[in-house]
Amino acid sequence: NSSETIGFGNTTTNPAINFLGTGAVTVSGITTFSLGQQSSAVARTATADGTGTGTIADGTRYVTVTSAGANNIIILPTPTPGTKVDIAVGATGFELRTDTPASVAINGGTGAGVESAIGANVIVYCTCTSATTWICYQQASDGTLSATEVAA
């Protein structure tokens, strides 16, 4: 097949392309963004068991978290290698878990109900490195980086 190009707009307009519905858009080739790419922030609220608003949906890139208590839970998305999630934490921390803590690790820690304590006012950066591992680190408001606690 020869390559095909679809053009929109001209040199003075900037058309918007909106895909309606809830399905995924898959691009099989390289995607280039000449002016950058922006992911929408998704708000999540930590819950007692991490369900409902406490679960980060698959495909979410940037999350803002509020929590009523440090023992409330946020659950990472389904582990898909290459997935990255940035979590901006508000004034109260929470516990971070994987969707299957007994077999999916945060920084090497697995076990029934294990979790990593996340403090207030930090940004947590998590990368899924395999179907059973997440590696996370965090950045304090002064820019200091540190490893996220091993799930225990």
Side-chain angles (χ1 to χ4, degrees):
N1 292 344
S2 63
S3 67
E4 297 177 22
T5 302
I6 300 173
F8 296 95
N10 56 48
T11 59
T12 59
T13 63
N14 295 307
I17 301 170
N18 295 309
F19 296 97
L20 304 176
T22 58
V25 175
T26 301
V27 178
S28 302
I30 296 172
T31 303
T32 302
F33 299 95
S34 61
L35 295 177
Q37 180 270 333
Q38 179 68 45
S39 297
S40 296
V42 176
R44 299 277 83 195
T45 300
T47 61
D49 61 1
T51 60
T53 62
T55 299
I56 300 171
D58 293 352
T60 303
R61 177 69 170 104
Y62 188 83
V63 182
T64 58
V65 172
T66 56
S67 179
N71 291 321
N72 284 352
I73 299 166
I74 290 288
I75 297 176
L76 288 166
T78 306
T80 302
T83 297
K84 293 180 182 283
V85 180
D86 300 342
I87 306 168
V89 184
T92 303
F94 58 88
E95 304 288 346
L96 184 64
R97 284 188 187 172
T98 65
D99 67 332
T100 314
S103 60
V104 179
I106 295 175
N107 292 353
T110 59
V114 300
E115 53 204 17
S116 299
I118 304 298
N121 301 311
V122 298
I123 299 177
V124 181
Y125 303 97
C126 294
T127 301
C128 181
T129 58
S130 77
T132 59
T133 56
W134 286 90
I135 295 176
C136 302
Y137 66 97
Q138 55 200 34
Q139 186 171 22
S141 59
D142 67 359
T144 304
L145 296 175
S146 62
T148 296
E149 175 184 82
V150 173

